Amino acid sequence: MTKYKNMYIYILLIFTVIIAILTFKEIKSNMCISIIGDEFGYWSGAAFLLDKPWRSVASTNSYYGWGYGILLAPIMFFCKDNASMMYQISIFLNGLMLCGVLFIVYSAALKIFEDNNKIMCSIMAGAVTIFPSSIYEIFNSMPEILLTLLTWFSFYLTIIMYENKNCKLIYSYILIFIGAFAFSVHQRAIGLLVVNLFIVILYYMQRNIHSFKKLLVILSFFLCLIAMAVVIKNKYLGWLYSAASLEGSLENDFSSVITSKKDFLSFHAIKSFAISIIGKVYYFGSTTFLFGIVGIVSCFRNLKRHLHEINLAYAFAFLHLVQVVVISSVFMMGGFESRTDILIYGRYIEYAMMPLMLIGIIGLIRKKCTIKEACIIIFVYLLLAIVVSKNIASDSINTNMGNIFALAYAFCIKNMNNDVAILYNGLRAIITFVFTYLLIVKSKGNYTKSAAMLAIVIININTFISVYEGNILLWQKKANECTLAVESYKQQKQEGDSIYIYDGGIGTKMIQFLLPNEECIRINNPELVDEDALILTQYNKENEDKISNEHEIIYRNSIVILWQK
């Protein structure tokens, strides 16, 4: 065993290299935002903090939170006018954060597993971290990996607090700060804020120490952070929108979502909410190969045995997922008929799923999941899959489930109806679970268990590659066409010129992103601009017919046309 003593270091390094390879594989070809509204919304937070002239275009976008802008603002500042480099550095940052997740997962596994089997824990860390959606989300500038990192950091802190009877007050402050920061990143992360606060309160209640004053101080700190976040949010909204455009732009604001659901207590709304929850739970089971459901069983078993002292880490993992699923279901109520992905939309819950997957894998290795329990889990999951397949629209707008961003995990099934694809993917998750269950539970040696977890890593990487080639490359090729339009604009412009945008469509936000230090001016009438002015329009026949009389085409691609009067 001595010669394998440091093997865990090499395993972690191999997983780090895998993440690095996947990150840098196509980084040069990623030069512009491709998930237009979302990504532009987060970069608008950076523009706000640096007082960039984005307001004209940013005011047409929805509110996405300002917290992620704190990380993006230094990148925007140092890259000056080089937006492509700005975007590529944000991708590198995502890869770096995912490597951080890998090492936090390893540290958490080492504490929960209790066998001090570092090799096993390092392989578990890879199986949980190298997850198709996480790798997938490296290649955009949305905050999913940041939220994943914050979730794992919170989870690790709850383990430390549970183990330490007299934990330092700083851990409570950090948990509260993480929750408040996550909430500023996106309103749907309110679940992390609430759960972290609950865990802190529960910790002091269980310790039964002189905690009232400490709790009072912590709650005061919590209220100060929330007040600060609200003040900054209001300033951001004041910078971003006029009073007239504010109401229609807060579709991602949690309070606005709640107030907009006026018929929340109607039978139709309750049914829609229930089906939405079932869809998210199905997605959770599918993406974690049912290990996440085993994790839930482990949490309840622990609660039953240790009711007098609840395991804070297990409580955190379960309650966080519950809150995130409920919040996601509120955001995604209804709309099943028009968008296939609404019912099983996974992006909002993915960052909360992995701690339960880790707990589930550890439960299997410890042989805490009996064959009877495994059969019940499979049966319940099959019921979920049947309900989802019956309620999903097989002929809805997004008929090819492989093209839906939210289903980053793997609905890469061509020429298959969506309801059939749901059952197919459910069957695949069940087969993978049964295979790994038999390898892990029935084997006596660690080699077979390690092989089972490595098989999960290989399946995940293969899934990511399939999704990447089918989706990301296609989107990025289209998005990168706008970089050529901007290069053409820079060659034609004179000093002091501005770019005018008339009916620019999605290209408007791309162009503003690629010109971070310039103001893109939206206009209603292209005839009123000065001679030699440069105008950008969306590429379509209507715009060509309307503008071609007095303007000539400088540059054209499948997204935008650049005109000069």
Side-chain angles (χ1 to χ4, degrees):
M1 287 295 290
T2 308
K3 64 179 180 179
Y4 297 114
K5 186 178 179 181
N6 295 323
M7 181 62 73
Y8 75 97
I9 297 175
Y10 299 115
I11 293 171
L12 289 172
L13 285 176
I14 289 169
F15 287 138
T16 303
V17 169
I18 289 172
I19 294 172
I21 291 171
L22 293 172
T23 301
F24 288 106
K25 182 176 179 288
E26 299 288 345
I27 196 168
K28 285 187 177 179
S29 63
N30 289 265
M31 297 187 290
C32 181
I33 56 176
S34 58
I35 316 299
I36 314 300
D38 300 62
E39 291 190 84
F40 186 77
Y42 294 114
W43 281 103
S44 295
F48 159 69
L49 294 173
L50 296 176
D51 198 27
K52 299 286 185 182
W54 283 31
R55 186 171 180 175
S56 178
V57 176
S59 62
T60 64
N61 205 38
S62 297
Y63 169 71
Y64 280 90
W66 55 270
Y68 193 35
I70 293 174
L71 298 185
L72 298 178
I75 299 173
M76 182 179 278
F77 177 79
F78 287 110
C79 288
K80 306 296 181 185
D81 201 38
N82 193 337
S84 294
M85 181 182 288
M86 194 165 77
Y87 194 64
Q88 288 163 353
I89 291 175
S90 72
I91 291 173
F92 171 76
L93 178 63
N94 281 341
L96 202 62
M97 287 192 290
L98 194 60
C99 289
V101 169
L102 174 69
F103 286 93
I104 294 174
V105 175
Y106 165 74
S107 301
L110 202 60
K111 285 186 172 293
I112 296 175
F113 197 41
E114 295 175 349
D115 285 9
N116 201 33
N117 190 330
K118 295 181 179 180
I119 294 176
M120 187 71 74
C121 290
S122 62
I123 298 173
M124 275 192 278
V128 172
T129 305
I130 300 180
F131 187 67
S133 295
S134 298
I135 302 294
Y136 191 84
E137 285 152 2
I138 285 176
F139 295 95
N140 59 65
S141 49
M142 293 198 293
E144 267 40 64
I145 294 181
L146 172 60
L147 292 175
T148 301
L149 179 66
L150 295 175
T151 296
W152 276 107
F153 194 23
S154 298
F155 181 66
Y156 183 68
L157 286 176
T158 58
I159 296 172
I160 293 175
M161 291 175 70
Y162 179 68
E163 290 180 344
N164 194 335
K165 302 294 182 183
N166 295 297
C167 203
K168 292 182 180 178
L169 198 61
I170 187 65
Y171 292 110
S172 300
Y173 287 138
I174 294 172
L175 269 180
I176 298 298
F177 178 80
I178 288 173
F181 178 59
F183 182 59
S184 74
V185 169
H186 199 294
Q187 299 282 286
R188 56 182 157 81
I190 190 174
L192 186 59
L193 173 63
V194 172
V195 171
N196 282 5
L197 178 62
F198 174 78
I199 291 297
V200 169
I201 294 172
L202 184 62
Y203 171 78
Y204 286 106
M205 287 176 64
Q206 287 189 159
R207 294 298 175 263
N208 197 26
I209 53 181
H210 303 291
S211 57
F212 180 74
K213 288 184 179 179
K214 289 183 178 179
L215 269 178
L216 201 60
V217 173
I218 291 167
L219 287 173
S220 299
F221 178 68
F222 167 77
L223 292 173
C224 287
L225 286 179
I226 295 301
M228 190 185 306
V230 170
V231 169
I232 297 174
K233 173 189 170 184
N234 289 336
K235 285 191 175 182
Y236 179 39
L237 291 175
W239 173 83
L240 203 55
Y241 307 116
S242 65
S245 65
L246 180 60
E247 185 176 349
S249 304
L250 294 180
E251 60 185 31
N252 292 309
D253 183 70
F254 190 69
S255 58
S256 297
V257 170
I258 295 296
T259 55
S260 67
K261 309 291 184 183
K262 295 178 182 178
D263 60 342
F264 194 81
L265 295 178
S266 69
F267 175 77
H268 176 75
I270 293 171
K271 179 184 175 183
S272 175
F273 179 65
I275 294 172
S276 186
I277 285 181
I278 290 171
K280 309 304 178 289
V281 176
Y282 161 82
Y283 185 87
F284 164 67
S286 177
T287 52
T288 61
F289 302 111
L290 278 65
F291 296 130
I293 300 178
V294 176
I296 292 176
V297 173
S298 297
C299 288
F300 277 103
R301 182 182 287 114
N302 181 274
L303 178 63
K304 184 179 178 181
R305 291 181 180 176
H306 306 284
L307 195 59
H308 62 287
E309 188 172 6
I310 298 171
N311 187 313
L312 298 181
Y314 283 34
F316 168 85
F318 176 70
L319 292 175
H320 187 211
L321 180 74
V322 169
Q323 290 212 38
V324 169
V325 166
V326 170
I327 291 167
S328 175
S329 298
V330 170
F331 269 88
M332 295 290 167
M333 274 177 58
F336 306 151
E337 303 82 7
S338 61
R339 272 187 65 182
T340 304
D341 61 330
I342 290 291
L343 178 55
I344 45 179
Y345 197 83
R347 183 165 65 89
Y348 283 4
I349 66 173
E350 284 164 348
Y351 66 92
M353 297 190 307
M354 294 304 101
L356 283 169
M357 183 177 180
L358 177 65
I359 292 170
I361 291 174
I362 290 173
L364 285 183
I365 293 173
R366 286 176 171 174
K367 300 186 178 181
K368 299 291 186 182
C369 181
T370 65
I371 293 179
K372 180 182 177 181
E373 287 174 336
C375 290
I376 292 172
I377 287 170
I378 291 170
F379 177 73
V380 170
Y381 176 71
L382 265 177
L383 289 179
L384 294 175
I386 291 169
V387 171
V388 172
S389 68
K390 292 294 183 183
N391 284 277
I392 204 159
S394 61
D395 58 346
S396 60
I397 291 173
N398 293 324
T399 53
N400 179 6
M401 300 189 76
N403 287 334
I404 301 171
F405 169 73
L407 305 178
Y409 167 68
F411 287 103
C412 305
I413 307 159
K414 304 294 182 182
N415 304 317
M416 186 180 287
N417 286 342
N418 297 334
D419 49 353
V420 179
I422 291 290
L423 295 174
Y424 175 88
N425 194 68
L427 184 62
R428 184 173 66 168
I430 289 170
I431 291 171
T432 305
F433 173 71
V434 171
F435 173 73
T436 50
Y437 177 87
L438 293 175
L439 283 179
I440 291 174
V441 174
K442 296 301 179 181
S443 65
K444 294 181 180 179
N446 289 331
Y447 292 108
T448 310
K449 295 171 183 175
S450 299
M453 286 182 285
L454 287 173
I456 294 171
V457 175
I458 293 168
I459 292 170
N460 284 344
I461 291 174
N462 180 65
T463 299
F464 161 74
I465 291 171
S466 299
V467 178
Y468 182 83
E469 292 176 350
N471 292 332
I472 298 181
L473 285 178
L474 179 65
W475 294 339
Q476 280 299 339
K477 283 177 182 176
K478 278 191 154 300
N480 290 344
E481 289 182 22
C482 279
T483 63
L484 300 175
V486 167
E487 288 304 315
S488 180
Y489 160 72
K490 288 179 177 178
Q491 292 170 11
Q492 298 291 330
K493 69 172 286 194
Q494 304 293 324
E495 185 156 355
D497 282 355
S498 296
I499 187 167
Y500 295 89
I501 296 178
Y502 171 75
D503 186 28
I506 60 171
T508 306
K509 294 161 189 174
M510 290 181 178
I511 297 298
Q512 179 65 86
F513 173 80
L514 291 166
L515 296 169
N517 296 318
E518 295 191 34
E519 182 179 11
C520 296
I521 304 170
R522 291 184 298 120
I523 56 173
N524 295 320
N525 189 345
E527 309 301 326
L528 300 179
V529 298
D530 297 332
E531 194 73 25
D532 297 327
L534 294 165
I535 302 175
L536 181 130
T537 69
Q538 190 173 185
Y539 176 76
N540 59 42
K541 183 87 167 49
E542 185 181 341
N543 283 336
E544 279 196 85
D545 293 341
K546 187 168 185 177
I547 298 181
S548 58
N549 292 333
E550 296 188 21
H551 302 77
E552 62 174 313
I553 294 176
I554 303 298
Y555 177 82
R556 182 209 315 247
N557 61 36
S558 64
I559 299 177
V560 295
I561 305 177
L562 184 64
W563 306 80
Q564 187 169 34
K565 188 170 182 180

